[in-house]
Amino acid sequence: MILVLEPNTDPQGSDYRILIGQLGRLPGISHRVHREVGTEVTLTEIYLIGNTGALTVEQMQVLPCVQKVVRVSEAYRVLGRHKQGDDRPSSFEYNGVRFGQDSLQVFAGLCAVDSPESVEAMMKALQAHGQVCTRMGAYKPRTSPYAFQGYGAKCLPYVFELAGKYGIRVIAMEITHESHVDEIREALRTTGHPTGVMLQIGTRNTQNFELLKLVGRQQELPVLIKRGFGITLDESLNAAEYLATEGNRKVVFCLRGMKTNMGDPHRNFVDFAHVPVVKRLTRMPVCIDPSHSVGTRAAAPDGLLDIFHVVAQGIVAGANMVLVDFHPDPAKALVDGPQALLLSELPHFLDDVALARETYLKRTELALRRKAAA
Ligand code: PEP
Ligand code: MN
């Protein structure tokens, strides 16, 4: 059960103290307070844990400071979308960019940072086409220990400075170890915060619970968590819940395909049919990664790359973010060159994204009109 308190409830106030006192006297029930301090309002939610089946919504509703009571199902308590009266937000803002189940952001960029020249060419192209987000891999989890592992902390200062120069507000960047979070924060600090970072948990770390807890404990940077490539959707959504129970609700969930040869000739089996499923089960915005799911630049007879096709499919189904590999010179990319789109393809890609988004919005309008007429 979740008690949503009145906005700006004062934790020092007497009503709040009375509430906490009463909760403390409930037998077999403990509580956990989650407070989110925003620029205008502070939101407080109290999670009741234990034998809450015996409590009624009416009984809790009359307690001081309580605005609303939500009875949660067992799964995804914090990020889930619960049946009764759950209109808690499904969006957040970070560094001036909105992430919600109703918005769409494109993160086109380098799979791996390989040189300041590639980073600059990429960011310059993004700015020229009105983009304020990108992806830049500094820490790369590789199958072979002999493969390029990413430039790590060394490249962060120039990546962040160039982002500032080209108006990039959010960079999705995978981290594989807690020290990477410290390195990123330190580089943001020393460069004067010219940009923002969304920490990415890669598919190989989806169930690295200690890493999830650590990343969840910091609330400064939002998190993009990839679906685990060989586990169920439920298991991956529980992984996202690890981030949220530790305190970080700014979480985006990313579909990136499942590892099975049933997906051949694609690198992974594209799973974007799950976009509406994740939106139904949780309040997280949903990202699609066409590059790591399709994995090739193969094109259909209609002239469109498979990557373009799956992006359109995901967006027409309501995706809220696209994470996609580009490279100024894919033949020279140190990681995943064969799946990278060319900078010259960026305007076409963005136009195609806009077309799919328009179709999605028209589909939702149509559904509303049909419902109203029924
Ligand atoms: C990536 O996005 O660079 C990446 C390694 O993706 P995944 O974790 O989905 O394989
Ligand atoms: Mn990659």
Side-chain angles (χ1 to χ4, degrees):
M1 186 173 265
I2 303 171
L3 308 182
V4 180
L5 305 194
E6 306 283 355
N8 296 324
T9 293
D10 177 7
Q12 309 304 334
S14 60
D15 279 356
Y16 182 81
R17 284 212 294 271
I18 293 171
L19 170 69
I20 296 299
Q22 296 200 5
L23 296 180
R25 286 191 289 279
L26 293 174
I29 290 177
S30 61
H31 65 267
R32 187 165 172 165
V33 179
H34 178 85
R35 196 167 285 120
E36 210 148 294
V37 184
T39 43
E40 274 153 34
V41 284
T42 294
L43 298 173
T44 311
E45 289 178 2
I46 300 186
Y47 287 76
L48 302 185
I49 303 152
N51 180 27
T52 56
L55 305 174
T56 67
V57 170
E58 293 71 29
Q59 174 191 3
M60 305 313 287
Q61 186 74 66
V62 296
L63 294 178
C65 307
V66 174
Q67 184 185 56
K68 199 169 48 176
V69 180
V70 181
R71 192 178 284 287
V72 301
S73 42
E74 278 306 300
Y76 333 131
R77 290 176 189 216
V78 182
L79 293 172
R81 195 178 268 292
H82 304 295
K83 284 193 182 70
Q84 286 172 1
D86 192 3
D87 54 0
R88 291 176 299 154
S90 55
S91 67
F92 62 86
E93 203 177 290
Y94 172 63
N95 210 24
V97 182
R98 181 187 159 82
F99 297 89
Q101 286 196 339
D102 55 358
S103 57
L104 177 63
Q105 305 298 340
V106 176
F107 280 62
L110 306 180
C111 177
V113 170
D114 48 18
S115 70
E117 291 74 28
S118 298
V119 173
E120 181 149 24
M122 186 70 234
M123 290 182 176
K124 202 171 174 174
L126 290 168
Q127 187 184 48
H129 293 95
Q131 299 301 300
V132 295
C133 299
T134 189
R135 58 159 294 148
M136 290 283 152
Y139 308 95
K140 300 304 301 177
R142 305 304 303 282
T143 304
S144 163
Y146 308 114
F148 172 63
Q149 306 283 312
Y151 283 122
K154 223 167 49 185
C155 69
L156 299 180
Y158 73 75
V159 170
F160 295 163
E161 275 158 10
L162 286 167
K165 177 172 172 190
Y166 291 102
I168 299 295
R169 306 201 65 90
V170 187
I171 303 174
M173 184 173 276
E174 179 166 357
I175 47 115
T176 60
H177 189 268
E178 59 180 273
S179 59
H180 302 160
V181 183
D182 297 333
E183 288 171 4
I184 288 172
R185 292 167 83 156
E186 177 60 12
L188 282 173
R189 196 184 61 77
T190 54
T191 54
H193 292 271
T195 188
V197 172
M198 178 178 273
L199 300 174
Q200 183 177 324
I201 304 285
T203 196
R204 291 158 190 81
N205 275 308
T206 305
Q207 286 191 314
N208 183 342
F209 299 120
E210 296 311 314
L211 183 65
L212 296 176
K213 286 189 215 166
L214 187 115
V215 168
R217 244 167 256 149
Q218 63 80 40
Q219 290 187 24
E220 178 192 343
L221 308 175
V223 188
L224 177 68
I225 181 166
K226 296 260 191 124
R227 177 185 194 161
F229 56 64
I231 57 177
T232 64
L233 183 63
D234 174 60
E235 286 162 339
S236 291
L237 295 179
N238 268 300
E241 187 73 6
Y242 263 93
L243 297 163
T245 51
E246 293 294 331
N248 195 335
R249 308 279 184 82
K250 295 185 177 133
V251 183
V252 178
F253 187 78
C254 182
L255 297 167
R256 49 80 71 205
M258 305 299 297
K259 199 175 184 73
T260 157
N261 61 353
M262 301 299 168
D264 293 357
H266 289 162
R267 181 173 172 181
N268 286 286
F269 197 93
V270 181
D271 55 351
F272 300 168
H274 277 165
V275 168
V277 178
V278 178
K279 289 171 84 172
R280 177 172 73 240
L281 294 175
T282 78
R283 296 175 292 118
M284 286 185 280
V286 182
C287 177
I288 51 170
D289 177 343
S291 307
H292 291 84
S293 45
V294 169
T296 83
R297 289 182 45 86
D302 56 19
L304 287 161
L305 300 183
D306 290 9
I307 289 179
F308 276 52
H309 274 298
V310 301
V311 167
Q313 289 158 15
I315 293 176
V316 163
N320 307 111
M321 177 170 156
V322 183
L323 189 73
V324 55
D325 290 3
F326 273 76
H327 198 281
D329 188 357
K332 295 211 182 100
L334 296 178
V335 185
D336 284 348
Q339 71 194 23
L341 301 180
L342 312 173
L343 296 191
S344 58
E345 289 168 323
L346 182 62
H348 180 189
F349 181 81
L350 294 171
D351 284 351
D352 206 39
V353 162
L355 203 59
R357 177 69 179 170
E358 200 183 308
T359 303
Y360 169 70
L361 294 174
K362 283 186 181 156
R363 292 179 64 223
T364 56
E365 275 168 29
L366 175 65
L368 279 175
R369 274 204 309 279
R370 287 287 178 179
K371 200 171 165 192

